[in-house]
Amino acid sequence: MLYCIIGKSSTGKDTIFKCLLENKSLNLENVVSYTTRPIREHEVDGVEYHFVDEKKRDELDKAGKIIELRRYNTCYGPWDYFTVDDKSLDIENKDYLIIGTLESYEKIRDYYGKGLVRPIYIEVEDGLRLQRALNREKKQKHPKYNEMCRRFLTDDEDFSKEKLKKANVDRTFVNNDIDSTVNEIIEYIRSCG
């Protein structure tokens, strides 16, 4: 099974992702996505993302290895995020975890099959999300506030109720308390096994 953590920006997806991977009883393996965006402070190449340039992205695309690709026209130019099929996943026999968007979840689900891919949709009240985003951006050596605002504003459209319904995302995990949310997701994953 492949579990896709999805949600608007600053809902705690990265923290939840790390907590789930650290829970050895779930035996989840990490699927690291690729991006052409610049690496942030405190990120590690190959952990949060594989940080690549456009040339490497084009090589993977030409080789037919890209499952899904999303391009964002940011305040700093286009940034691509994508998932690569490197034939290392055995989702019929092992469980995996990935972070993505609603669009990437749908493409991954369609690629591997509806029965093998499950969404984990994280939600947080908008005021709290905005404060979290601002706090995270302040910690950067060169804060990108314009991009933070652009992402925040586009989230409403990207995760509209209509789009969630169309993608058959019918379970929401409200992240008011990280420990409770992680425990709720752990129980959900165990119920799917």
Side-chain angles (χ1 to χ4, degrees):
M1 186 77 62
L2 174 57
Y3 297 95
C4 293
I5 297 180
I6 59 175
K8 297 177 180 178
S9 58
S10 300
T11 55
K13 296 183 301 291
D14 291 331
T15 302
I16 290 168
F17 181 81
K18 288 175 185 174
C19 290
L20 294 173
L21 283 178
E22 289 171 0
N23 186 308
K24 299 303 179 196
S25 71
L26 296 176
N27 202 26
L28 294 169
E29 295 187 25
N30 181 15
V31 178
V32 181
S33 298
Y34 289 67
T35 186
T36 60
R37 81 154 164 78
I39 191 169
R40 293 179 184 144
E41 283 186 56
H42 310 295
E43 288 182 323
V44 177
D45 186 32
V47 176
E48 286 84 6
Y49 292 97
H50 294 288
F51 294 92
V52 298
D53 58 17
E54 288 80 7
K55 181 180 176 188
K56 180 65 175 176
R57 179 212 51 218
D58 292 345
E59 288 172 8
L60 291 166
D61 190 32
K62 187 175 179 180
K65 294 184 177 185
I66 295 180
I67 296 171
E68 59 84 26
L69 182 141
R70 296 150 276 135
R71 171 163 290 158
Y72 299 100
N73 293 313
T74 75
C75 299
Y76 301 93
W79 292 348
D80 294 336
Y81 293 80
F82 51 102
T83 306
V84 173
D85 182 359
D86 59 7
K87 303 299 182 199
S88 66
L89 299 188
D90 180 14
I91 62 174
E92 292 184 16
N93 299 302
K94 294 182 180 179
D95 291 329
Y96 297 89
L97 192 64
I98 190 169
I99 296 178
T101 64
L102 184 60
E103 179 186 353
S104 68
Y105 156 70
E106 290 179 291
K107 289 181 180 179
I108 292 168
R109 178 201 62 202
D110 293 346
Y111 185 84
Y112 286 111
K114 292 180 181 181
L116 295 174
V117 182
R118 300 255 171 115
I120 297 175
Y121 177 59
I122 311 298
E123 191 171 82
V124 169
E125 185 272 326
D126 281 344
L128 181 55
R129 276 193 328 107
L130 186 56
Q131 187 62 53
R132 287 178 179 178
L134 186 58
N135 290 342
R136 179 176 68 190
E137 206 57 40
K138 281 181 180 180
K139 293 177 186 176
Q140 300 300 310
K141 192 176 206 174
H142 302 288
K144 295 177 172 67
Y145 296 114
N146 290 348
E147 178 56 20
M148 180 201 78
C149 291
R150 183 204 64 79
R151 287 182 64 200
F152 185 85
L153 293 172
T154 59
D155 279 340
D156 280 340
E157 181 181 335
D158 292 345
F159 289 95
S160 68
K161 289 181 181 179
E162 295 79 18
K163 287 184 178 180
L164 289 167
K165 184 177 180 180
K166 182 180 175 204
N168 295 314
V169 176
D170 56 3
R171 178 83 188 262
T172 299
F173 298 89
V174 178
N175 186 16
N176 291 330
D177 173 76
I178 193 72
D179 292 330
S180 297
T181 305
V182 168
N183 287 332
E184 186 181 355
I185 295 170
I186 288 170
E187 290 308 312
Y188 169 73
I189 290 172
R190 286 182 177 148
S191 73
C192 293

